[in-house]
Amino acid sequence: MAITLYNGAEVPTNSDPYELTSDLAKMALSLNLPIPVDNAAQRDGLAALAGGTLKIGTTVLRKDQSMFTEKWDGTSWKTTGHSEWTRTGQVVPTNDVWGVGALTLDAAKTTDTAFITHPAADVLRFRDAGTYAVTFNPESTTGTLNTLAYAEIITGGETYRTGMTGQDRVTAAHPNLRVAANQDALFVIYHESGSNRTLKFRIAITRIG
């Protein structure tokens, strides 16, 4: 009978019959090492190779997505990816709450193109329930944001705001935002500069739990 070590590895005991191939296979599988896969289709085919059921905690490395990790929770694959979105040339009127508009995915800085989506102007959507680090960075390219300015992340009935004055940029952030599946986040900016300002935006989201 095999024994289980502290790290979960299964190894044969001295009294076990000698079955080299079977023993090594059991030990290798029990280590639960990350499995490199070419794409989602190859990942989804692992269950059949495992005899129909994957062990909870099975981890894959997606070679088509910059080697980001996904873990099987018994129901679906969960990602620990990172996503960034940008917008340039957004004219924001003075004394009015204004959204970021239509965003563009920054593919060079994104490791998972599916877990955050952009269903409408000003809005990003979290595909999966989990904990995320979110930063929202507006920057004026036509002068400082005077008198009063703030950036907001609005989601789940809560508003996360950072205010400033007399600078050309501001950052709103939440280091451990807990969200439900398919929850939306709205990103807006406000300023009282006396005239319109043209801004650029960058939003970065990382799943941390």
Coordinates of all heavy atoms in Angstrom, one line a residue, residues 126 131-136 153 155 158-162 171-179 187 204-206 208:
F126 N -16.4 41.1 -15.0 CA -15.6 40.0 -14.5 C -16.4 38.7 -14.8 O -17.5 38.5 -14.4 CB -15.5 40.1 -12.9 CG -14.8 41.3 -12.5 CD1 -15.5 42.5 -12.2 CD2 -13.4 41.3 -12.3 CE1 -14.9 43.7 -11.8 CE2 -12.8 42.5 -11.8 CZ -13.5 43.6 -11.6
T131 N -11.4 37.2 -6.2 CA -10.8 38.4 -5.7 C -9.8 39.0 -6.7 O -9.0 38.2 -7.3 CB -10.1 38.1 -4.4 OG1 -11.0 37.5 -3.5 CG2 -9.5 39.4 -3.7
Y132 N -9.9 40.3 -6.9 CA -9.1 40.9 -8.0 C -8.5 42.2 -7.5 O -9.0 42.9 -6.6 CB -10.0 41.3 -9.1 CG -10.7 40.1 -9.8 CD1 -11.8 39.5 -9.3 CD2 -10.2 39.6 -11.0 CE1 -12.4 38.4 -9.9 CE2 -10.8 38.5 -11.6 CZ -11.9 38.0 -11.1 OH -12.5 36.9 -11.7
A133 N -7.3 42.5 -8.0 CA -6.7 43.8 -7.8 C -7.0 44.7 -9.1 O -6.7 44.2 -10.2 CB -5.1 43.7 -7.7
V134 N -7.5 45.9 -8.8 CA -8.0 46.7 -9.9 C -7.4 48.1 -9.8 O -7.4 48.7 -8.7 CB -9.5 46.9 -9.9 CG1 -10.0 47.7 -11.1 CG2 -10.2 45.5 -9.9
T135 N -6.8 48.6 -10.8 CA -6.3 50.0 -10.9 C -6.9 50.7 -12.1 O -7.0 50.2 -13.2 CB -4.8 50.1 -10.9 OG1 -4.3 49.4 -12.1 CG2 -4.2 49.5 -9.6
F136 N -7.2 52.0 -11.9 CA -7.8 52.9 -12.9 C -7.0 54.1 -12.9 O -7.0 54.9 -12.0 CB -9.3 53.1 -12.5 CG -10.0 54.2 -13.4 CD1 -9.7 54.3 -14.8 CD2 -10.9 55.0 -12.9 CE1 -10.3 55.2 -15.6 CE2 -11.6 56.0 -13.6 CZ -11.3 56.1 -15.0
I153 N -14.2 53.9 -9.3 CA -14.5 52.5 -9.8 C -15.9 52.2 -9.1 O -15.9 52.2 -7.8 CB -13.5 51.5 -9.4 CG1 -12.1 51.9 -9.9 CG2 -13.9 50.1 -9.8 CD1 -10.9 51.1 -9.4
T155 N -18.8 49.4 -8.5 CA -19.2 48.0 -8.8 C -19.8 47.4 -7.5 O -19.5 47.8 -6.4 CB -17.9 47.2 -9.2 OG1 -18.3 45.9 -9.5 CG2 -16.9 47.2 -8.1
E158 N -21.0 49.6 -4.6 CA -20.0 50.4 -3.9 C -19.3 51.3 -4.9 O -19.1 51.0 -6.0 CB -19.0 49.5 -3.2 CG -19.7 48.5 -2.2 CD -20.2 49.2 -1.0 OE1 -19.9 50.3 -0.7 OE2 -21.1 48.6 -0.3
T159 N -18.8 52.4 -4.3 CA -18.0 53.3 -5.1 C -16.6 53.5 -4.5 O -16.5 53.8 -3.3 CB -18.7 54.7 -5.2 OG1 -19.9 54.5 -5.9 CG2 -17.8 55.7 -6.0
Y160 N -15.6 53.4 -5.2 CA -14.2 53.5 -4.8 C -13.6 54.7 -5.5 O -13.4 54.7 -6.7 CB -13.4 52.2 -5.0 CG -14.1 51.0 -4.4 CD1 -14.9 50.2 -5.3 CD2 -14.0 50.7 -3.1 CE1 -15.5 49.1 -4.7 CE2 -14.7 49.6 -2.6 CZ -15.4 48.8 -3.4 OH -16.1 47.7 -2.9
R161 N -13.3 55.8 -4.7 CA -12.9 57.1 -5.3 C -11.6 57.5 -4.8 O -11.3 57.4 -3.6 CB -14.0 58.1 -4.9 CG -13.6 59.5 -5.3 CD -14.6 60.5 -4.8 NE -15.9 60.4 -5.4 CZ -17.0 61.2 -5.1 NH1 -16.9 62.1 -4.2 NH2 -18.1 61.0 -5.8
T162 N -10.8 58.2 -5.7 CA -9.6 58.9 -5.3 C -9.7 60.3 -5.8 O -10.0 60.5 -7.0 CB -8.4 58.2 -5.8 OG1 -8.3 56.9 -5.3 CG2 -7.1 59.0 -5.5
T171 N -5.2 58.2 -9.7 CA -5.4 56.7 -9.7 C -6.4 56.3 -8.7 O -6.2 56.6 -7.5 CB -4.0 56.0 -9.4 OG1 -3.1 56.3 -10.5 CG2 -4.2 54.5 -9.4
A172 N -7.4 55.6 -9.1 CA -8.3 54.9 -8.2 C -8.0 53.4 -8.2 O -7.7 52.9 -9.3 CB -9.8 55.1 -8.7
A173 N -7.9 52.8 -7.1 CA -7.5 51.4 -7.0 C -8.2 50.7 -5.9 O -8.6 51.3 -4.9 CB -6.0 51.3 -6.8
H174 N -8.3 49.4 -6.1 CA -8.8 48.5 -5.0 C -7.9 47.2 -5.0 O -7.8 46.5 -6.0 CB -10.2 48.1 -5.2 CG -10.9 47.5 -4.0 ND1 -10.4 46.4 -3.3 CD2 -12.0 47.9 -3.3 CE1 -11.1 46.1 -2.2 NE2 -12.1 47.0 -2.2
P175 N -7.1 47.0 -3.9 CA -6.1 45.9 -4.0 C -6.7 44.5 -3.8 O -6.0 43.5 -4.2 CB -5.2 46.2 -2.8 CG -6.1 46.9 -1.8 CD -7.1 47.7 -2.7
N176 N -8.0 44.4 -3.3 CA -8.5 43.0 -3.1 C -10.1 43.1 -3.2 O -10.8 42.8 -2.3 CB -8.1 42.5 -1.8 CG -8.4 43.4 -0.6 OD1 -8.9 44.5 -0.8 ND2 -8.1 43.0 0.6
L177 N -10.5 43.4 -4.4 CA -12.0 43.5 -4.7 C -12.6 42.2 -4.9 O -12.2 41.4 -5.7 CB -12.2 44.4 -5.9 CG -13.6 44.6 -6.4 CD1 -14.4 45.4 -5.4 CD2 -13.6 45.3 -7.8
R178 N -13.6 41.9 -4.1 CA -14.3 40.6 -4.2 C -15.5 40.8 -5.0 O -16.4 41.7 -4.8 CB -14.7 40.1 -2.8 CG -15.3 38.7 -2.8 CD -14.3 37.6 -3.1 NE -14.9 36.3 -3.2 CZ -14.2 35.2 -3.5 NH1 -12.9 35.3 -3.8 NH2 -14.8 34.0 -3.5
V179 N -15.7 40.0 -6.1 CA -16.8 40.2 -7.0 C -17.5 38.8 -7.3 O -17.0 37.8 -7.0 CB -16.3 40.8 -8.4 CG1 -15.6 42.1 -8.2 CG2 -15.5 39.8 -9.2
F187 N -16.2 52.7 -14.8 CA -15.1 53.6 -14.6 C -15.4 55.0 -15.1 O -15.7 55.2 -16.2 CB -13.9 53.0 -15.3 CG -13.5 51.7 -14.8 CD1 -14.1 50.5 -15.4 CD2 -12.5 51.5 -13.8 CE1 -13.7 49.2 -14.9 CE2 -12.1 50.2 -13.4 CZ -12.7 49.1 -13.9
A204 N -6.1 48.2 -15.2 CA -5.4 47.0 -15.1 C -6.1 46.1 -14.0 O -6.4 46.6 -13.0 CB -3.9 47.2 -14.7
I205 N -6.3 44.9 -14.4 CA -7.1 43.9 -13.5 C -6.3 42.6 -13.4 O -6.0 42.0 -14.4 CB -8.5 43.7 -14.0 CG1 -9.3 45.0 -14.1 CG2 -9.2 42.7 -13.1 CD1 -10.7 44.9 -14.6
T206 N -6.0 42.2 -12.2 CA -5.3 40.9 -12.0 C -6.1 40.1 -11.0 O -6.5 40.6 -9.9 CB -3.9 41.2 -11.4 OG1 -3.2 42.0 -12.2 CG2 -3.2 39.8 -11.2
I208 N -6.4 37.6 -8.1 CA -5.4 37.2 -7.0 C -6.0 36.1 -6.1 O -5.3 35.6 -5.2 CB -5.0 38.4 -6.2 CG1 -6.2 39.1 -5.6 CG2 -4.2 39.4 -7.0 CD1 -5.9 40.2 -4.6

